[in-house]
Amino acid sequence: MSVDFRKLKSFVKIVDTGSVSRAAAILRTAQPALSQQIASLETHFKHKLLIRSNVGIAPTEAGLILYRHAQLMLKQLDQAQIDIDQAAKSVAGRVSIGLATYSTSSALSLPLLKEMRARHPHIILHVNDSFGHILSELIMTGKMDMALIYAANPIKGVTLQPLFREEMFLVSPPGTQFPAEPSRPLPLAALQDVPLLLPSKAHLLRRLIDDALARARVSPEVISEIESVPALSAAVLDGLGSTILPASVVTETSGFAGAEVRALTKPVIDATISLCVSDHLPLSEPAIAARSVLLEIVSRLMSSHHQGIRPV
């Protein structure tokens, strides 16, 4: 026969109160049931555990020994429950988040990593801002939990939550001169014959740039297609050409230090950044926690009035 903790708890309460009836009232258990539990304990240990006296019920020598051990075991059991509850409150797991290359979202990676570390230390966050894959396809197939992508129109297989719009700026080698004053936006028409370093045509940002230049009747002189921010910043600072990026990418990337940043107009080039999740695969608990933190950081970004960022 095994001894369960319920019987030990009843035994301790009887010793503490000195009465079966008082213990029964506290434990909300019938007196006969308590008496049966004590009898079961005495059968198991082969010793009488309690004796009745004029002042109530008291433990025997064997009962006193059991009482001390039972107190320790019940205390450990309570602590185990506390530890288990705490563990349940601490969300753990892995979450993968994609950030569109060349977008403001890439500047969110460090704040996101720091905030997740502080709030959810048991969640391992995988952040990917490589454009080696189409992020929405990774979301659709379940290989990635969520992503911030350039997208405004519906994409089959995913749900999009537009978060903000970001304006694109011309980023040029230090000392580059243009006809317009540096403090005024530069018309896109001024980019005719300007050497440009742009993303490949597979990138939505490139399509936005090409459309805007076409509306301005500019035939761009694209001398290189680059999908790496470090490589792009090095090429710009070395004087190979100019590029078109959100201002925050330039300010958050030390490699662009010293580059000339000019607002563009006629037309303005802007893009919608949306949160992309699967429309058929539910988010895990860690992913829900990460999404909440990410949306908070985006909200703070919006309220800080970053250059070139505005509500959708």
Side-chain angles (χ1 to χ4, degrees), residues 91-236:
V91 182
R94 299 177 66 90
V95 180
S96 55
I97 300 178
L99 303 175
T101 312
Y102 296 151
S103 76
T104 294
S105 60
S106 61
L108 301 176
S109 58
L110 183 57
L112 178 61
L113 288 166
K114 291 170 68 174
E115 199 77 20
M116 287 296 292
R117 178 63 182 166
R119 292 202 210 174
H120 304 288
H122 301 296
I123 293 179
I124 298 173
L125 198 62
H126 174 75
V127 178
N128 183 3
D129 66 355
S130 167
F131 194 70
H133 299 88
I134 297 176
L135 294 176
S136 59
E137 290 185 1
L138 296 178
I139 301 294
M140 274 185 273
T141 57
K143 293 178 180 177
M144 187 171 283
D145 294 303
M146 68 194 77
L148 291 183
I149 66 173
Y150 283 115
N153 300 319
I155 300 175
K156 186 177 179 181
V158 300
T159 299
L160 297 177
Q161 178 183 349
L163 299 180
F164 56 87
R165 293 182 69 81
E166 57 184 10
E167 184 179 339
M168 303 299 155
F169 292 73
L170 183 70
V171 185
S172 304
T176 303
Q177 299 294 320
F178 288 99
E181 296 177 21
S183 60
R184 299 176 63 87
L186 185 70
L188 284 187
L191 298 186
Q192 183 69 46
D193 301 324
V194 172
L196 293 176
L197 310 163
L198 298 178
S200 70
K201 290 183 179 292
H203 201 297
L204 177 63
L205 177 57
R206 172 64 181 277
R207 296 200 290 273
L208 290 173
I209 293 170
D210 284 349
D211 289 347
L213 291 173
R215 277 183 282 153
R217 299 185 178 180
V218 172
S219 300
E221 184 185 343
V222 180
I223 62 170
S224 185
E225 295 180 340
I226 304 174
E227 300 289 359
S228 161
V229 172
L232 181 62
S233 62
V236 169

Side-chain angles (χ1 to χ4, degrees), residues 235-246:
V236 169
L237 289 189
D238 200 58
L240 292 181
S242 299
T243 190
I244 297 175
L245 291 173

